[in-house]
Amino acid sequence: MSDFEFIFALYGLLLGLSLAEVLGGLARAIEARLRPGSTVRIGWLTPLLGAFVLLDLLSFWQAAWVVRDTVLVSGKALMAITAFAGAYYLAAHLVFPRDVENQPDFDAHFFRVRRVIIGVLVALLICQLGLYASLPTIAPHLLRPLALGLVAILLLLMGAAMFVPTERWARVVMLALVARYVVVYLL
């Protein structure tokens, strides 16, 4: 077993649990909405936040492959992976409300949790960029115009998603965040 395989087992487990959190939250939301007499309003914002978190999570999963040759097993690496992927799990856990009956308007839930969730994702992105900048084989790629542009767009949209005041603008920004990832994945 290589160092990467050993470390990735922990990373993959925690990121997999994060995926399950978002998908499980979506399943609970749909189930609550389909109950006879339900007054639950799922709206657009929380599902878009869930889609964004899933796509962002996939980008970090893919990023692990980029650094596979630089990973060495150590206590420091295990703690860093646990903190990083653990923060992702916490953000994913917050996307959908736990008690659907006491939170029947998911758009209101979005406005309550968006700054925490997106703030965590911004912090993780900064950590990832810091790691990349410290690796001589990867650092030069960060300075390419396309890479700089994509990161700048991502950070601007994430900032906007944290602070836009209206439901309409939040929907536009969240759609743009999801679209940005879909376009990047298809390139």
Side-chain angles (χ1 to χ4, degrees):
M1 176 180 278
S2 71
D3 282 1
F4 174 75
E5 291 167 331
F6 182 78
I7 292 285
F8 193 76
L10 175 62
Y11 189 66
L13 173 68
L14 289 172
L15 290 185
L17 288 171
S18 300
L19 284 167
E21 275 295 323
V22 175
L23 295 172
L26 177 61
R28 282 190 308 277
I30 293 169
E31 182 180 48
R33 179 67 186 108
L34 294 176
R35 280 191 198 115
S38 173
T39 59
V40 171
R41 180 180 171 273
I42 296 174
W44 285 95
L45 294 175
T46 297
L48 283 170
L49 180 61
F52 172 66
V53 168
L54 284 177
L55 292 167
D56 194 62
L57 193 144
L58 292 176
S59 78
F60 282 102
W61 202 306
Q62 188 176 28
W65 185 254
V66 171
V67 298
R68 70 188 176 279
D69 295 331
T70 65
V71 174
L72 299 174
V73 174
S74 70
K76 184 174 144 182
L78 290 171
M79 287 191 312
I81 290 296
T82 302
F84 188 91
Y88 226 114
Y89 178 83
L90 293 173
H93 183 80
L94 294 173
V95 171
F96 285 91
R98 291 319 244 177
D99 186 6
V100 176
E101 302 307 321
N102 289 329
Q103 183 61 62
D105 183 357
F106 282 34
D107 286 346
H109 173 77
F110 167 85
F111 281 105
R112 196 173 69 251
V113 299
R114 68 181 171 157
R115 290 185 180 138
V116 173
I117 294 169
I118 296 172
V120 167
L121 301 185
V122 167
L124 294 175
L125 176 60
I126 291 168
C127 289
Q128 179 189 22
L129 293 173
L131 172 64
Y132 283 179
S134 73
L135 300 172
T137 56
I138 298 173
H141 299 284
L142 291 177
L143 299 176
R144 292 184 176 165
L146 180 60
L148 289 172
L150 289 172
V151 169
I153 289 168
L154 179 59
L155 286 170
L156 286 170
L157 289 172
M158 289 172 89
M162 291 172 70
F163 295 105
V164 293
T166 66
E167 188 176 316
R168 182 179 188 185
W169 280 109
R171 200 175 310 133
V172 168
V173 172
M174 292 308 301
L175 279 167
L177 277 167
V178 169
R180 182 230 172 249
Y181 267 123
V182 170
V183 168
V184 167
Y185 285 138
L186 295 177
L187 289 179

